[in-house]
Every structure is written in C-alpha cells, then in structure tokens.
Amino acid sequence: MATHRFDPNFTDHVVGAMGPKTSPRLRQLMTGLIRHVHDFARENELTVDEWMAGVKMLNWAGQMSDDKRNEGQLVCDVIGLESLVDEITFTLADEAKDAPTATAILGPFFRADTPYRQNGDDIVKTKPADGEMAFMHGRVIDFTTKHPLVGATVEVWQASTNGLYEQQDPAQVEFNLRGKFKTDQDGRYYFYCLRPTPYPVPDDGPGGKLLELMDRHPFRPAHIHIIATYDGYRPLTTQIFDRKDQYLTNDSVFAVKDSLVVDFLPRKDDPQAGLELNYDIKLVASESATNGT
Amino acid sequence: MATHRFDPNFTDHVVGAMGPKTSPRLRQLMTGLIRHVHDFARENELTVDEWMAGVKMLNWAGQMSDDKRNEGQLVCDVIGLESLVDEITFTLADEAKDAPTATAILGPFFRADTPYRQNGDDIVKTKPADGEMAFMHGRVIDFTTKHPLVGATVEVWQASTNGLYEQQDPAQVEFNLRGKFKTDQDGRYYFYCLRPTPYPVPDDGPGGKLLELMDRHPFRPAHIHIIATYDGYRPLTTQIFDRKDQYLTNDSVFAVKDSLVVDFLPRKDDPQAGLELNYDIKLVASESATNGT
C-alpha cells in the first residue's frame, strides 16, 4: 500500500502494538487516527520544528482550559471538527428516519442550571443600548403526527450585543439571555429576546492563533442556541441563524446549515419588540424508528 | 473525490476558508491536517462523546505539562509520531547524502546545561546497588574522509536503574548520568557509565492512559542518549540500544532502528567496569552535500 519512500512497515508496527485487550471500537479509532496522523506527517514531510510547534499549541490549549473555557474544543471548532461530528451524528439519525430538525453544535456556553421562565417573559434582563428586541415564538410538534407536544421544554441562550455570554461578562446579571420554557396547551412557547448579533470566538489562545495563521476572521454569525426535550422523544440541540447576517457563509466554526437559517420579520403593535421570529421545532419519538409509529 | 455519504463540500469549505495571507507552508500543513482529521471522523463515524473524550485527553495533556514534563510530546510519542518525524528528517538528510549515522528522537529529558567532564571520568555520581558498570568509548570521525575529529563534543545522558533521570529523582545528585566530553588528539572519547536498563514512560497522564486503552506496556528498551557536535559539521542526535534488551522490538515510543543496536561486551582487567561498549560516531560536514568534498 505504501507509495512513499519512508519505512513501509513503521505504521503497521505502531498499529500492531495494540494488545488483545484493546476494545474493538478503540482499536478501530486508534488505528484510523494513527494511520491518518502518520500519512499526514509523511505526505507533508513534517519537520521536527513543525511537529514541536503543534505539540506546544496543544499543550497551550490544555493550559488555558478550565471550568469556564474549553480551548481544546475551540481548536477543534476552528478546523470544523465539531460541526463535522455533528453532521455525522445527524446523517446517521436521518438515515434512521428520526432527525426531523437539523442539529448544530452545543458550543461551550451552555449552562445546565438555567432556570425555567414563564411564556411571554423577557430573557433580556440586562438591556444593551444597541439591542433590537424580538418576539420569538413557535410550537413543538411530533414530527410524524404533527400533533403539538404539551409541556415540552425549550431552552434557549444567546450572547449579548457585545459578543459575550452572561458567564463571560460581569456586567450582565446571571442567566441573562437564557431561559427554559414549557410549551402550553397548544404546544406553543413564546418569549422576548434580542435579535442575535455576530461575535468573535476568543482570540487569546491557540484557537485564535490558528485563525490568525490561517488568515481567517474569528466571527460567528448571529445565532440563538436551542435545546428541545420531551419525555419519550429524542432531545434536539440546534442553533438558528439570522438570514441577514454577514458571516452566514463563513462562520468561523462552520456550524451553519441552510435549514437552520431563519427570518426576523417586522412586528407591529407590540411596544416590547419591533421584530418577530416564528420557529417550529419538530421532535421525534425515541422508538419511532423501530416500532413504526 | 468524496466516496462517503456526508456533505461532499464541507471539507473543501473549511480548507477554502483560509485567507490569501496564509503562508504557503502553513496552508499546505493545515490543508493536510484538516483533510486527514475530517476523513478520520467520517470513516469512523466519530460520535460526539468520542470526540469530546479526545478533547478532554488533549486538554489533560496540556494541564500536566510544565518545564519538567511535556505530556503532549509523550502522547505523540506513544502513537509513533515523534519517531516518524525523526525518520522523515533522517530520510531527507540521507537522500542529500549527509546522514551517516542514524538519528533518534531527543526525548524529554535532555538538559542544555549539562557540564563538560574529562575523558575517563565516571558519570555515575550516585551509584545504584543494582547497576552494572560499563566503559563506553569510541571515536568521532568525518564520514567522508574517515579522519578523526579532534575536540568534537559528545554529550550523553541515561536513566538510572530505577528508570528515572536525575531531574526526576531527588535521590540522584544533579547531573548524575550526564556529561559532555571533548574528543582527544586521536578523536577519541571515553568514560564510565551504567549499562542502561529499560524503564516505563510516565503512566499517570493521557500518554499512560492511551497505552492502557491500547493494551500496551509503557517500557522503553535500555538506551543511552547521544548528541555529537563539531564546528562545520551537522549535529547528530541519536540513541543507542542494548541488543539484549527484552523491549528492543516493542519500544513504547518506537525509536529503535537496527543500526542503533549495540553490543555490551565483557571487559577484562578493569576494576571500574565489567563491560565495555565501543561506538564510533560519524559526522558529516555541513556543506559536503553541496560542495562535493
């Protein structure tokens, strides 16, 4: 198989070193990883200095990471790996006929302890002067039957206009621009939020350094994160993107999919918001792929 | 080109995001890296949990690394990457006809501040009870002319019988089992050292965890590190391995090459050592590949 001029047995030797107690899946993954990493090094005749620069960058990522920040994840994100893994997951689910709404990456700013709020509430607890208010509403429905799902949970989070999520920004009150909502008797959720705005990923670590070296901007297009859950249905993690955003086609972490692009429309006669966004979320029963319902 | 069932444009999109100011070499390396990482993820249908486990392991490596320890390097070493990069470097040098002695990886235990010692000195300053003493000697010669190189520097370092280098082990005096020597008027260097013994790489971090997951032992075969330098000649970094070592064919970091395996022979009539090792080091003039000397 080897078409290069280096030791043709080296990679087989490394792969073959795995012992009999290696789990089959780990063996598969490590075999693939070792072969690709070795091919990459050979094809590009990687030098010691270049390899060491990579090691330093990986160590730097770990050293910057803590409870509030995951720089290793960001490095993966800027080379598209998190979005690709998400696409793989979605494609496999779609082949199993249980992926009605496209998914997107979770991102590093989710908080598990976000509180429930009432439908109609305003999640903008710290108002930025330059924020545009929007009324976001829609239904959570069963993908197959189209029936509304009553009491489903819709969790949302977004950055403020300065590009920061509340846990990154001491000037925002806790849980600003976050909330969990339960759908009402008609399966509806509704609340006030900001029209989202683009923001840069952090540029003070190896993720930012990589972007600079690749002559790329750090911006993510404006988006709102959503997780929707309902008992007996597969949970959905996604993001929705504003069609008018200038970074829609060059998201720094490659998370945009056509079906996740939405339109903010003018809203009349509402003193709380000049825009509205209607977005229905379709969930699929956990067992529908196997029991045919 | 795509033979998979995922978005055929995704990887091109990520590669194509690089801007015009990217350096040609970085563009080549990042293009190769992105394509291989994406192919790896698609071919193995990498899951979100598996990807996240990898991110955690990389962050962990960085968090364990400091001035005395480079866990990112160790992770590369256990998948053979450092040795492969060394082989690539050596092969390219060999094609340029300037690599007379095979190279090997530097490893993480080199110290730039190692002192010079006199030929005939004993580098074993802290004697382990189970150590076997050896007299190591040889010449540094010009690869082409075979003439001895007078005043060349030969630097060596080795672990003690407990598997620890002096900077890892408070029980060893500083610079134990290390030294720099200058060749004499005949181009000879000579000193007393230990017959090297096998030792495990550190197993308390992600490198050790990977070895465990791959059902592999952590041992390196017994070796002595060497760096040889001489003005106007290419510096040489290598390791020599004891032919009798049980780990010769399954070094945990894959650094063994046939030409680096040496024989410790019985030594008679020397109260300081029962073994000897004769090892000549061939250096090549920096310009010989281009000026034909």
Side-chain angles (χ1 to χ4, degrees), chain B residues 188-208:
Chain B
R188 293 172 63 237
Y189 72 90
Y190 47 103
F191 58 89
Y192 291 92
C193 62
L194 291 177
R195 177 181 208 152
T197 40
Y199 63 83
V201 298
D203 68 352
D204 56 338

Side-chain angles (χ1 to χ4, degrees), chain A:
Chain A
M1 288 284 289
T3 57
H4 52 76
R5 64 198 191 278
F6 304 107
D7 179 354
N9 302 313
F10 183 77
T11 299
D12 287 343
H13 177 53
V14 175
V15 167
M18 276 186 274
K21 284 179 271 186
T22 311
S23 81
R25 178 61 174 166
L26 191 100
R27 182 183 299 275
Q28 177 188 346
L29 291 177
M30 290 308 298
T31 299
L33 186 67
I34 289 165
R35 291 197 184 284
H36 275 295
V37 167
H38 287 198
D39 284 345
F40 163 71
R42 280 186 292 250
E43 288 163 7
N44 296 287
E45 295 179 359
L46 195 66
T47 70
V48 173
D49 287 349
E50 289 164 348
W51 163 70
M52 254 300 164
V55 168
K56 277 187 188 160
M57 199 165 263
L58 290 182
N59 283 337
W60 182 21
Q63 283 151 3
M64 286 196 91
S65 297
D66 57 25
D67 289 350
K68 289 201 171 178
R69 178 164 183 174
N70 190 331
E71 188 75 13
Q73 179 174 356
L74 183 62
V75 167
C76 292
D77 289 0
V78 302
I79 62 166
L81 183 58
E82 184 173 5
S83 286
L84 177 59
V85 170
D86 172 70
E87 190 219 337
I88 291 168
T89 305
F90 177 74
T91 299
L92 298 181
D94 190 46
E95 289 173 352
K97 306 289 185 228
D98 58 2
T101 298
T103 56
I105 63 178
L106 181 64
F109 299 111
F110 170 73
R111 279 187 69 167
D113 53 351
T114 295
Y116 277 98
R117 304 188 189 278
Q118 296 297 314
N119 278 310
D121 273 2
D122 179 357
I123 65 170
V124 193
K125 304 303 182 188
T126 302
K127 302 271 181 202
D130 56 350
E132 281 188 277
M133 291 296 298
F135 179 69
M136 178 169 171
H137 63 104
R139 293 187 311 153
V140 178
I141 61 174
D142 180 297
F143 173 66
T144 309
T145 67
K146 313 299 182 204
H147 288 164
L149 298 178
V150 177
T153 294
V154 175
E155 177 167 0
V156 296
W157 66 106
Q158 65 179 168
S160 191
T161 53
N162 62 357
L164 298 174
Y165 289 86
E166 50 89 13
Q167 74 265 56
Q168 300 175 285
D169 183 2
Q172 295 180 45
V173 301
E174 190 164 29
F175 301 120
N176 186 45
L177 298 170
R178 293 176 186 276
K180 285 179 170 172
F181 298 87
K182 288 271 187 201
T183 55
D184 66 13
Q185 291 305 311
D186 301 317
R188 294 173 62 240
Y189 71 88
Y190 46 103
F191 58 88
Y192 290 93
C193 61
L194 290 178
R195 178 180 208 155
T197 41
Y199 64 82
V201 297
D203 67 353
D204 55 338
K209 184 70 188 172
L210 267 181
L211 287 171
E212 179 195 326
L213 288 170
M214 292 192 285
D215 188 24
R216 281 170 43 188
H217 70 73
F219 281 88
R220 299 222 50 217
H223 60 278
I224 297 172
H225 291 270
I226 300 172
I227 293 180
T229 55
Y230 191 64
D231 274 356
Y233 285 71
R234 290 188 187 262
L236 173 74
T237 300
T238 194
Q239 298 176 28
I240 50 176
F241 297 89
D242 184 346
R243 190 180 309 280
K244 295 206 170 154
D245 193 275
Q246 64 178 304
Y247 299 109
L248 205 60
T249 59
N250 56 1
D251 182 0
S252 60
V253 305
F254 308 99
V256 179
K257 297 172 185 170
D258 291 347
S259 64
L260 297 175
V261 177
V262 297
D263 295 284
F264 286 84
L265 302 175
R267 179 171 173 85
K268 296 196 176 106
D269 306 323
D270 183 343
Q272 281 190 263
L275 294 166
E276 77 171 79
L277 171 62
N278 186 355
Y279 187 70
D280 284 350
I281 298 166
K282 305 177 192 84
L283 295 183
V284 71
S286 301
E287 300 303 318
S288 72
T290 50
N291 68 11
T293 57

Side-chain angles (χ1 to χ4, degrees), chain B residues 179-243:
Chain B
K180 285 180 172 172
F181 299 88
K182 287 271 188 201
T183 55
D184 67 13
Q185 292 303 312
D186 300 318
R188 293 172 63 237
Y189 72 90
Y190 47 103
F191 58 89
Y192 291 92
C193 62
L194 291 177
R195 177 181 208 152
T197 40
Y199 63 83
V201 298
D203 68 352
D204 56 338
K209 183 69 187 174
L210 267 180
L211 286 171
E212 180 196 323
L213 288 170
M214 291 192 286
D215 188 25
R216 281 172 41 190
H217 69 74
F219 281 89
R220 298 223 51 217
H223 61 277
I224 297 173
H225 292 270
I226 300 172
I227 293 180
T229 55
Y230 191 64
D231 274 356
Y233 285 70
R234 291 189 187 262
L236 173 73
T237 301
T238 193
Q239 298 176 27
I240 51 176
F241 298 90
D242 185 346
R243 190 179 310 279

Side-chain angles (χ1 to χ4, degrees), chain B residues 142 162 173 242:
Chain B
D142 180 299
N162 64 357
V173 300
D242 185 346

